[in-house]
């Protein structure tokens, strides 16, 4: 069974990807420092899959730890999730973001070269497109100046990989540009665990519905969109996880020194208000929300053209927005309300 190192594998997307890898006959090896995840996720993964995955506590800047993992496991590839990801925080702590997100990528790539590990899937983001001039977004859509140091680490990370592959190091790379990951595993055993006040829409919705937050503020309804609120492409985290499995399988068949980018979204755009109404409808709830001022830096509307990932990886989303809202709420109900 091929073993895959998942950096950040106890995190939101990492943990869901570990499940889908296992379901696809691949064995996850998890590396996580719990800076944005919890140790009990490992127990939940064992409950879902019936397998306790090998786990190493630490981060990708620890080269000696990476060497220990390679000593103990023959790795067929790496999925690199581990990164700081809070847009707002990154503007306050840019150096921490550049050091962690880019430093760890550099250490990881040197490690892979030294150990002859040839396949990596890199977690990128639609944030590299900024506000696209033409919608839906294709992989040929020009990237724009990042709106935050976080977004810039994704853009620079892609550039590092492109330049590195050009030097013919003997690796194959896929960068996946995520749109907006939402939802939770249908088992409700794993899901999004935001630390502190959620910055993202859906955890704020579910925490408001759970009474943890008083009210949700819709950041503006005076945009040039169907109902005035911003448009995003919300993709179920299990669909997103499956895209990583298909990306790895694609890499296994490719020649070395290969780099390819894929958008990972549903191809559908939904407004904030549509998300709220879908949540209310599918869960039979009324959500306390108000319209507030716009949030600085927000992209007005973006959603993916998914032709490339559909045709090249044979990947299609299976879950609807309603499924996302149902699974998010079912997951929230398992969490403490304190
Ligand atoms: C979605 C929409 C908000 C909260 C960011 C990063 C992206 C990825 C996902 C890490 C926007 C509105 C939100 C609220 C609201 N991050 N909103 N009230 O900004 O599209 O993407 O998070 O991987 O890289 O850029 O996601 O969920 O913050 O916002 O009205 O309380 O919901 O204005 O229109 P975003 P989001």
């Amino acid at each position: 069974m091929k073993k895959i190192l998942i950096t950040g594998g106890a995190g939101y997307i990492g943990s869901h990807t570990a499940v889908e890898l296992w379901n696809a006959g691949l064995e996850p090896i998890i590396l996580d420092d719990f800076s944005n995840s919890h140790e009990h996720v490992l127990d939940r993964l064992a409950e879902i899959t019936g397998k306790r995955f090998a786990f190493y506590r630490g981060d990708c800047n620890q080269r000696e730890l990476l060497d220990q993992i390679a000593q103990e496991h023959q790795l067929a590839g790496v999925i690199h999730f581990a990164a700081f990801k809070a847009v707002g925080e990154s503007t306050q702590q840019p150096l921490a973001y550049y050091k962690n997100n880019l430093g760890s990528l550099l250490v990881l790539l040197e490690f892979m070269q030294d150990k002859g590990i040839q396949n990596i899937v890199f977690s990128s983001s639609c944030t590299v497109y900024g506000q696209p001039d033409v919608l839906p977004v294709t992989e040929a859509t020009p990237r724009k100046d990042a709106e935050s140091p976080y977004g810039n680490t994704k853009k620079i990370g892609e550039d590092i990989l492109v330049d590195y592959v050009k030097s013919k190091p003997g690796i194959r790379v896929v960068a996946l540009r995520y749109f907006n990951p939402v939802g939770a595993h249908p088992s409700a055993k794993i899901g999004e665990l935001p630390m502190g006040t959620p910055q993202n829409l859906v955890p704020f919705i579910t925490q408001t519905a759970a009474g943890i937050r008083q009210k949700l503020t819709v950041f503006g309804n005076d945009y040039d969109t169907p109902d005035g609120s911003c448009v995003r492409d919300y993709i179920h985290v299990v669909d997103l996880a499956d895209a990583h499995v298909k990306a790895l399988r694609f890499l296994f068949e490719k020649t070395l020194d290969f780099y390819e980018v894929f958008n990972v979204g549903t191809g559908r755009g939904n407004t904030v208000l549509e998300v709220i109404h879908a949540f209310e409808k599918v869960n039979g709830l009324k959500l306390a929300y108000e319209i507030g001022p716009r949030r600085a830096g927000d992209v007005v509307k973006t959603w993916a053209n998914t032709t490339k990932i559909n045709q090249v990886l044979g990947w299609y989303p299976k879950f609807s927005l309603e499924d996302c809202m149902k699974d998010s709420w079912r997951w929230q109900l398992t969490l403490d309300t304190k």
Side-chain angles (χ1 to χ4, degrees), residues 3-224:
K3 293 184 175 184
I4 308 295
L5 173 61
I6 311 183
T7 72
Y12 175 39
I13 304 167
S15 57
H16 288 83
T17 301
V19 171
E20 298 313 312
L21 282 176
W22 181 253
N23 292 342
L26 298 165
E27 183 177 346
I29 308 295
I30 295 177
L31 169 63
D32 205 299
D33 63 1
F34 298 137
S35 61
N36 193 24
S37 55
H38 291 266
E39 187 160 8
H40 67 234
V41 168
L42 303 172
D43 301 328
R44 300 291 89 75
L45 288 176
E47 288 166 21
I48 294 170
T49 62
K51 164 82 176 173
R52 180 160 286 275
F53 300 133
F55 169 72
Y56 296 81
R57 182 167 187 169
D59 69 55
C60 305
N61 285 299
Q62 296 169 261
R63 173 62 197 261
E64 69 290 344
L65 180 57
L66 293 173
D67 289 343
Q68 182 196 341
I69 295 170
Q71 188 73 35
E72 296 168 6
H73 303 279
Q74 179 71 33
L75 297 172
V78 179
I79 303 180
H80 184 42
F81 291 107
F84 296 156
K85 53 149 276 183
V87 173
E89 183 186 61
S90 74
T91 56
Q92 273 113 46
Q93 303 172 35
L95 296 187
Y97 271 68
Y98 286 114
K99 185 163 185 277
N100 181 64
N101 292 8
L102 298 178
S104 59
L105 176 61
L106 296 172
V107 171
L108 187 66
L109 291 173
E110 285 170 345
F111 156 73
M112 287 179 66
Q113 177 150 22
D114 294 347
K115 303 297 179 188
I117 302 166
Q118 298 177 329
N119 302 294
I120 178 169
V121 179
F122 175 67
S123 165
S124 189
S125 168
C126 65
T127 203
V128 302
Y129 297 114
Q131 175 58 65
D133 297 327
V134 178
L135 287 166
V137 191
T138 72
E139 289 79 358
T141 298
R143 299 181 310 167
K144 291 199 171 170
D145 290 345
E147 313 257 335
S148 69
Y150 158 75
N152 214 21
T153 65
K154 290 303 180 185
K155 205 170 155 205
I156 299 169
E158 290 187 1
D159 295 342
I160 288 170
L161 289 162
V162 169
D163 288 344
Y164 184 50
V165 166
K166 279 180 191 158
S167 72
K168 303 214 169 299
I171 67 164
R172 296 170 276 237
V173 180
V174 158
L176 296 179
R177 291 176 179 162
Y178 309 159
F179 279 70
N180 285 59
V182 293
H185 194 264
S187 68
K189 289 180 182 293
I190 51 175
E192 196 165 3
L193 279 169
M195 304 283 187
T197 307
Q199 300 307 306
N200 294 131
L201 175 65
V202 174
F204 210 106
I205 286 177
T206 59
Q207 289 193 9
T208 302
I212 298 168
R213 308 288 160 197
Q214 287 304 310
K215 191 180 287 187
L216 168 78
T217 303
V218 174
F219 297 143
N221 72 339
D222 56 351
Y223 289 106
D224 174 22

